[in-house]
Amino acid sequence: MAPDKGGQAMAVGIFDSGLGGLTVLDAVARRLPDVPFVYFGDNAHAPYGVRTPDDIFNLTCAAVERLWAEGCDLVILACNTASAAALKRMQDTWVPPNKRVLGVFVPLIEALTERQWGDNSPPREVAVKHVALFATPATVASRAFQRELAFRAIGVDVEAQPCAGVVDAIEQGDELLAEALVRSHVESLKRRMPHPEAAILGCTHYPLMQRAFQEALGPGVKVFSQANLVAESLADYLQRRPEFRGAGTQSKFLTTGDPAYVSDKATQFLRRPIRFEAA
Ligand code: DGL
């Protein structure tokens, strides 16, 4: 790999409001072992899922600017809430032409609707008809998932469940509470849609509770989560746009929260040692 023009290390940035994006980071780092990644967790301001779109836009822009300062010209919003509530506005009004900010929604919807990257053909019928969406209140309120789905598929019935409290419980390291909340959110969803064929974990924190979701949903429900789908899609993007890949060797973890506390919780959930530094 050649250094970029300024000779500055250029890694890829991964952003989330907190710990959830680490599920995406793990998958992209496995898929692209030569690419250095800088992770930014805005733990001081998590959860985003109960904030207004303006607030989410401002916080996400500040975090992305910090990643640009680390030499990451390409930043992945590994946060559905930011992808749903802020990404389009960022791309339309704020991101300069020499930078890229990409979200985590589209790869998931392409997988669900059996499409290759960039297949913009008209919407068509797909195999799944009843889909349960689990996401934060802000993501559910944005209806971004339904909008992206409607571009690609017809006749899919989506029942969305805002999962209040789950991100908070995870950020606080309270696995028992997070599991109990997952069970109760799945029960509420099932009262409205008793037999979903597929379930989308539409928040990057939720794969940390994937077992609880699968158990509550039952073995017949296919659970889609984003990490591996985003990893494939990033590998594909970097192949098509190699100018966004540089020579940096510095992977690091930045947080707006207390680095010792956040490192502790990250190590607990990812089950490997992770050291955060102050952003
Ligand atoms: N991981 C973020 C997402 O994917 C979390 C949201 C939050 O902070 O509420 O939506």
Side-chain angles (χ1 to χ4, degrees):
M1 275 188 280
D4 74 315
K5 295 172 279 306
Q8 187 195 20
M10 200 167 77
V12 172
I14 306 286
F15 160 79
D16 183 41
S17 60
L19 300 173
L22 292 171
T23 59
V24 173
L25 175 87
D26 263 1
V28 295
R30 246 194 332 268
R31 178 67 181 78
L32 297 160
D34 299 333
V35 176
F37 289 100
V38 180
Y39 186 85
F40 184 107
D42 194 7
N43 303 73
H45 302 112
Y48 277 18
V50 290
R51 292 178 180 273
T52 63
D54 271 351
D55 209 8
I56 295 168
F57 175 82
N58 291 329
L59 289 170
T60 307
C61 289
V64 168
E65 267 179 341
R66 179 70 184 81
L67 285 166
W68 286 343
E70 288 290 324
C72 303
D73 287 356
L74 169 60
V75 174
I76 308 290
L77 301 187
C79 175
N80 291 271
T81 307
S83 301
L87 178 60
K88 188 161 178 344
R89 180 169 163 202
M90 290 168 78
Q91 288 171 334
D92 289 351
T93 66
W94 186 77
V95 179
N98 62 338
K99 308 272 193 246
R100 285 290 179 280
V101 180
L102 304 175
V104 285
F105 250 63
V106 170
L108 178 84
I109 290 173
E110 285 176 343
L112 184 75
T113 57
E114 308 144 30
R115 282 184 183 237
Q116 298 300 319
W117 187 89
D119 172 355
N120 290 327
S121 58
R124 55 179 179 256
E125 290 218 20
V126 294
V128 287
K129 299 284 182 238
H130 303 284
V131 176
L133 168 67
F134 298 94
T136 67
T139 299
V140 170
S142 75
R143 297 189 61 81
F145 178 85
Q146 287 90 331
R147 192 175 59 234
E148 291 294 336
L149 186 67
F151 290 138
R152 296 168 178 83
I154 43 179
V156 183
D157 180 18
V158 177
E159 192 63 55
Q161 175 66 32
C163 298
V166 176
V167 168
D168 255 329
I170 292 173
E171 289 290 316
Q172 285 157 17
D174 194 338
E175 290 183 62
L176 286 180
L177 174 60
E179 275 170 23
L181 288 168
V182 165
R183 281 195 296 274
S184 112
H185 287 305
V186 170
E187 269 169 38
S188 323
L189 180 287
K190 279 178 143 180
R191 280 198 284 277
R192 306 191 307 277
M193 180 182 271
H195 302 294
E197 292 149 338
I200 308 279
L201 302 189
C203 168
T204 53
H205 281 69
Y206 300 171
L208 298 169
M209 292 291 127
Q210 182 139 354
R211 205 169 39 83
F213 273 104
Q214 186 74 69
E215 276 173 17
L217 284 159
V221 181
K222 181 167 169 48
V223 176
F224 285 82
S225 74
Q226 288 160 320
N228 291 329
L229 300 170
V230 172
E232 275 318 309
S233 141
L234 176 61
D236 185 57
Y237 188 85
L238 287 175
Q239 204 156 30
R240 285 180 288 109
R241 304 301 304 268
E243 68 272 27
F244 286 108
R245 184 177 165 156
T249 51
Q250 267 277 37
S251 288
K252 54 171 107 164
F253 296 88
L254 302 172
T255 178
T256 53
D258 169 22
Y261 178 87
V262 174
S263 303
D264 213 46
K265 299 298 167 220
T267 301
Q268 174 191 343
F269 278 106
L270 274 292
R271 297 186 166 79
R272 69 178 172 88
I274 296 178
R275 284 283 136 250
F276 273 86
E277 47 190 282

